[in-house]
Coordinates of all heavy atoms in Angstrom, one line a residue:
F1107 N -7.0 16.7 22.4 CA -8.1 17.3 21.7 C -8.7 18.5 22.5 O -9.8 19.0 22.2 CB -9.2 16.3 21.4 CG -8.7 15.1 20.7 CD1 -8.7 13.9 21.3 CD2 -8.2 15.2 19.4 CE1 -8.2 12.7 20.7 CE2 -7.6 14.1 18.8 CZ -7.7 12.8 19.5
E1108 N -8.0 19.0 23.5 CA -8.6 20.2 24.3 C -8.3 21.4 23.5 O -9.1 22.4 23.5 CB -8.0 20.2 25.7 CG -8.5 21.3 26.5 CD -8.0 21.3 27.9 OE1 -6.8 21.5 28.2 OE2 -8.9 21.0 28.8
D1109 N -7.1 21.6 22.9 CA -6.7 22.8 22.2 C -6.6 22.5 20.7 O -5.9 21.6 20.3 CB -5.3 23.3 22.8 CG -5.0 24.7 22.3 OD1 -4.7 24.8 21.1 OD2 -5.1 25.6 23.1
P1110 N -7.2 23.3 19.8 CA -7.2 23.0 18.4 C -5.8 23.0 17.8 O -5.6 22.3 16.8 CB -8.0 24.2 17.8 CG -8.9 24.6 18.9 CD -8.1 24.4 20.2
S1111 N -4.8 23.7 18.4 CA -3.5 23.7 17.9 C -2.8 22.3 18.1 O -1.8 22.0 17.5 CB -2.6 24.8 18.5 OG -2.5 24.6 19.9
D1112 N -3.3 21.5 19.0 CA -2.7 20.2 19.2 C -3.2 19.0 18.5 O -2.7 18.0 18.6 CB -2.9 19.9 20.7 CG -2.0 20.8 21.7 OD1 -1.0 21.2 21.2 OD2 -2.4 20.9 22.8
Y1113 N -4.2 19.3 17.6 CA -4.7 18.2 16.8 C -4.9 18.7 15.4 O -5.1 19.9 15.1 CB -6.0 17.5 17.3 CG -7.2 18.4 17.5 CD1 -8.1 18.7 16.4 CD2 -7.5 19.1 18.7 CE1 -9.2 19.5 16.5 CE2 -8.6 19.9 18.8 CZ -9.4 20.1 17.7 OH -10.5 20.9 17.9
C1114 N -4.9 17.8 14.5 CA -5.0 18.0 13.0 C -5.9 17.0 12.4 O -5.7 15.8 12.5 CB -3.6 18.0 12.4 SG -3.6 18.3 10.6
V1115 N -6.9 17.5 11.6 CA -7.9 16.6 11.0 C -7.6 16.5 9.5 O -7.6 17.5 8.8 CB -9.4 17.1 11.2 CG1 -10.4 16.1 10.6 CG2 -9.6 17.4 12.7
L1116 N -7.3 15.3 9.0 CA -6.9 15.1 7.6 C -7.7 14.0 7.0 O -8.2 13.0 7.6 CB -5.4 14.7 7.5 CG -4.4 15.8 8.0 CD1 -3.0 15.2 8.0 CD2 -4.5 17.1 7.2
K1117 N -7.9 14.0 5.7 CA -8.4 12.9 4.9 C -7.4 11.8 4.9 O -6.2 12.0 4.8 CB -8.7 13.4 3.5 CG -9.7 14.6 3.4 CD -9.9 15.0 2.0 CE -10.7 16.3 1.9 NZ -10.8 16.9 0.6
N1118 N -7.9 10.6 5.0 CA -7.0 9.4 5.0 C -6.6 9.1 3.6 O -7.4 9.0 2.6 CB -7.7 8.2 5.6 CG -6.7 7.1 5.8 OD1 -5.7 7.1 5.3 ND2 -7.2 6.0 6.5
D1119 N -5.3 9.1 3.3 CA -4.8 8.9 1.9 C -5.0 7.5 1.5 O -5.0 7.2 0.3 CB -3.3 9.2 1.9 CG -3.0 10.7 2.1 OD1 -3.8 11.5 1.7 OD2 -1.9 11.0 2.7
W1120 N -5.1 6.5 2.5 CA -5.2 5.1 2.2 C -6.3 4.5 2.9 O -6.1 3.7 3.8 CB -3.9 4.4 2.4 CG -2.8 4.9 1.5 CD1 -1.8 5.8 1.9 CD2 -2.6 4.5 0.2 NE1 -0.9 5.9 0.8 CE2 -1.4 5.2 -0.2 CE3 -3.2 3.7 -0.7 CZ2 -0.9 5.1 -1.5 CZ3 -2.7 3.6 -2.0 CH2 -1.6 4.3 -2.4
P1121 N -7.6 4.8 2.5 CA -8.7 4.3 3.3 C -8.9 2.8 3.1 O -8.4 2.2 2.1 CB -9.9 5.1 2.7 CG -9.5 5.4 1.3 CD -8.0 5.7 1.5
Y1122 N -9.7 2.2 3.9 CA -10.1 0.7 3.7 C -11.1 0.6 2.6 O -11.6 1.6 2.0 CB -10.5 0.2 5.0 CG -9.5 0.1 6.1 CD1 -9.6 1.1 7.2 CD2 -8.5 -0.8 6.1 CE1 -8.7 1.1 8.2 CE2 -7.5 -0.7 7.1 CZ -7.6 0.2 8.2 OH -6.6 0.2 9.1
G1123 N -11.5 -0.6 2.3 CA -12.4 -0.8 1.2 C -13.8 -0.6 1.7 O -14.4 -1.6 2.2
F1124 N -14.5 0.6 1.5 CA -15.8 0.9 1.9 C -16.7 1.0 0.8 O -16.4 1.3 -0.4 CB -15.8 2.2 2.7 CG -14.8 2.3 3.8 CD1 -14.1 3.4 4.0 CD2 -14.8 1.3 4.8 CE1 -13.2 3.5 5.1 CE2 -14.0 1.3 5.9 CZ -13.2 2.5 6.0
E1125 N -18.0 0.7 1.1 CA -19.0 1.0 0.1 C -19.1 2.5 -0.1 O -18.7 3.3 0.7 CB -20.4 0.5 0.6 CG -20.5 -1.1 0.6 CD -21.9 -1.6 0.7 OE1 -22.7 -0.8 1.2 OE2 -22.1 -2.8 0.4
P1126 N -19.7 2.9 -1.3 CA -19.8 4.3 -1.6 C -20.6 5.1 -0.5 O -21.5 4.5 0.1 CB -20.6 4.3 -2.9 CG -20.3 3.0 -3.5 CD -20.2 2.0 -2.4
G1127 N -20.2 6.3 -0.3 CA -20.9 7.2 0.8 C -20.2 7.2 2.1 O -20.5 8.0 3.0
I1128 N -19.1 6.3 2.3 CA -18.4 6.2 3.6 C -17.1 6.9 3.4 O -16.3 6.6 2.4 CB -18.2 4.7 4.0 CG1 -19.6 4.1 4.2 CG2 -17.4 4.7 5.3 CD1 -19.5 2.6 4.5
F1129 N -16.7 7.8 4.2 CA -15.5 8.6 4.0 C -14.7 8.4 5.3 O -15.1 8.3 6.4 CB -15.8 10.1 3.9 CG -14.6 10.9 3.3 CD1 -14.4 10.9 2.0 CD2 -13.8 11.6 4.2 CE1 -13.4 11.6 1.5 CE2 -12.7 12.3 3.7 CZ -12.5 12.3 2.3
H1130 N -13.3 8.3 5.1 CA -12.4 8.0 6.2 C -11.5 9.2 6.4 O -10.8 9.8 5.6 CB -11.4 6.8 5.7 CG -10.7 6.2 6.7 ND1 -10.0 4.9 6.5 CD2 -10.3 6.6 7.9 CE1 -9.4 4.7 7.6 NE2 -9.5 5.6 8.5
I1131 N -11.5 9.6 7.7 CA -10.8 10.8 8.2 C -9.8 10.3 9.3 O -10.1 9.3 10.0 CB -11.7 11.8 8.7 CG1 -12.6 12.5 7.6 CG2 -11.0 12.9 9.5 CD1 -13.7 13.3 8.1
V1132 N -8.6 10.9 9.4 CA -7.7 10.6 10.5 C -7.5 11.9 11.3 O -7.2 13.0 10.7 CB -6.4 10.0 10.0 CG1 -5.5 9.7 11.2 CG2 -6.6 8.8 9.2
V1133 N -7.6 11.8 12.6 CA -7.3 12.9 13.5 C -6.0 12.7 14.2 O -5.9 11.8 15.0 CB -8.5 13.2 14.5 CG1 -8.2 14.5 15.3 CG2 -9.8 13.3 13.8
W1134 N -5.0 13.5 13.9 CA -3.7 13.4 14.5 C -3.6 14.3 15.7 O -4.1 15.4 15.7 CB -2.6 13.7 13.4 CG -2.6 12.9 12.2 CD1 -3.4 13.1 11.1 CD2 -1.9 11.7 12.0 NE1 -3.2 12.0 10.2 CE2 -2.3 11.1 10.8 CE3 -1.0 10.9 12.8 CZ2 -1.8 10.0 10.2 CZ3 -0.5 9.8 12.3 CH2 -0.9 9.3 11.0
T1135 N -2.9 13.8 16.7 CA -2.7 14.7 17.9 C -1.3 14.6 18.4 O -0.6 13.5 18.4 CB -3.6 14.1 19.0 OG1 -3.3 14.8 20.3 CG2 -3.6 12.7 19.2
R1136 N -0.7 15.8 18.7 CA 0.6 15.8 19.3 C 0.6 15.6 20.8 O 1.6 15.5 21.4 CB 1.3 17.1 19.0 CG 0.7 18.4 19.5 CD 1.6 19.6 19.1 NE 1.0 20.9 19.4 CZ 1.6 22.0 19.3 NH1 2.8 22.1 18.9 NH2 0.9 23.2 19.6
T1137 N -0.6 15.6 21.4 CA -0.8 15.2 22.8 C -1.0 13.7 22.9 O -1.9 13.2 22.3 CB -1.9 15.9 23.4 OG1 -1.8 17.3 23.3 CG2 -2.0 15.6 25.0
P1138 N -0.2 13.0 23.6 CA -0.3 11.5 23.6 C -1.7 11.1 24.2 O -2.2 11.7 25.1 CB 0.8 11.0 24.5 CG 1.8 12.1 24.4 CD 1.0 13.4 24.3
I1139 N -2.2 10.0 23.6 CA -3.4 9.4 24.2 C -3.0 8.2 25.0 O -2.3 7.2 24.5 CB -4.3 8.9 23.0 CG1 -4.7 10.1 22.1 CG2 -5.6 8.2 23.5 CD1 -5.5 9.7 20.9
A1140 N -3.4 8.2 26.3 CA -3.0 7.1 27.2 C -3.5 5.8 26.7 O -4.6 5.6 26.3 CB -3.5 7.4 28.6
T1141 N -2.7 4.7 26.8 CA -3.1 3.4 26.5 C -2.6 2.4 27.7 O -1.8 2.8 28.5 CB -2.3 2.8 25.2 OG1 -0.9 3.0 25.4 CG2 -2.8 3.7 24.0
D1142 N -3.1 1.2 27.6 CA -2.8 0.2 28.7 C -1.5 -0.4 28.4 O -0.8 -0.1 27.4 CB -3.9 -0.8 28.9 CG -4.1 -1.5 27.6 OD1 -3.2 -1.8 26.8 OD2 -5.3 -2.1 27.4
D1143 N -1.0 -1.3 29.2 CA 0.3 -1.9 29.0 C 0.3 -3.3 28.4 O 1.2 -4.0 28.4 CB 1.0 -2.0 30.4 CG 1.3 -0.7 31.0 OD1 1.6 0.3 30.2 OD2 1.2 -0.5 32.2
T1144 N -0.9 -3.8 27.9 CA -1.0 -5.0 27.3 C -1.0 -4.9 25.8 O 0.1 -5.0 25.2 CB -2.4 -5.7 27.7 OG1 -3.5 -4.8 27.5 CG2 -2.3 -5.9 29.2
V1145 N -2.1 -4.8 25.1 CA -2.1 -4.7 23.7 C -2.0 -3.2 23.2 O -2.0 -2.9 22.0 CB -3.4 -5.3 23.0 CG1 -3.5 -6.8 23.3 CG2 -4.6 -4.6 23.5
G1146 N -1.9 -2.3 24.1 CA -1.8 -0.9 23.8 C -3.1 -0.3 23.4 O -3.2 0.7 22.6
D1147 N -4.2 -0.8 24.0 CA -5.6 -0.3 23.7 C -5.7 1.0 24.7 O -5.1 1.1 25.6 CB -6.7 -1.3 24.0 CG -7.9 -0.9 23.3 OD1 -8.0 0.1 22.6 OD2 -8.9 -1.7 23.4
M1148 N -6.7 1.8 24.4 CA -7.0 2.9 25.2 C -7.4 2.6 26.6 O -8.1 1.6 26.8 CB -8.0 3.8 24.5 CG -7.6 4.6 23.3 SD -8.9 5.6 22.6 CE -10.0 4.3 21.9
T1149 N -7.1 3.5 27.6 CA -7.6 3.3 28.9 C -9.0 3.8 28.9 O -9.5 4.6 28.0 CB -6.8 4.1 29.9 OG1 -6.9 5.5 29.6 CG2 -5.3 3.7 29.8
P1150 N -9.9 3.5 29.9 CA -11.3 4.0 30.0 C -11.2 5.5 30.0 O -12.2 6.1 29.4 CB -11.7 3.4 31.3 CG -11.0 2.2 31.5 CD -9.6 2.4 31.0
E1151 N -10.3 6.1 30.7 CA -10.3 7.6 30.7 C -10.0 8.2 29.4 O -10.7 9.2 29.0 CB -9.3 8.1 31.8 CG -9.5 7.7 33.2 CD -9.2 6.2 33.5 OE1 -8.5 5.6 32.7 OE2 -9.6 5.8 34.6
S1152 N -9.0 7.7 28.7 CA -8.7 8.3 27.4 C -9.8 8.0 26.4 O -10.0 8.7 25.5 CB -7.3 7.7 26.9 OG -7.3 6.4 26.7
R1153 N -10.4 6.9 26.5 CA -11.6 6.5 25.6 C -12.7 7.5 25.7 O -13.3 8.0 24.7 CB -12.1 5.1 25.9 CG -13.1 4.7 24.9 CD -13.5 3.2 25.1 NE -12.5 2.3 24.9 CZ -12.2 1.8 23.7 NH1 -12.9 2.2 22.7 NH2 -11.2 1.0 23.5

């Protein structure tokens, strides 16, 4: 997310079941986001 050319902000085609007024967006990045080696959650730095 440092360079705008490396990420893309899109509306989610398949949002979860939300009450009215809540909108779902997905930000895609071609720069990998670091995760841990257990369940694949983010590291403190990447968070």
Side-chain angles (χ1 to χ4, degrees):
F1107 310 112
E1108 184 176 67
D1109 191 290
S1111 65
D1112 286 335
Y1113 62 85
C1114 176
V1115 184
L1116 298 175
K1117 301 172 185 177
N1118 190 347
D1119 295 328
W1120 295 101
Y1122 297 105
F1124 302 135
E1125 288 193 344
I1128 301 173
F1129 197 83
H1130 193 165
I1131 293 170
V1132 182
V1133 185
W1134 300 87
T1135 169
R1136 63 175 171 177
T1137 306
I1139 299 174
T1141 58
D1142 60 31
D1143 296 326
T1144 54
V1145 296
D1147 200 1
M1148 287 179 290
T1149 64
E1151 294 78 12
S1152 62
R1153 185 176 294 277

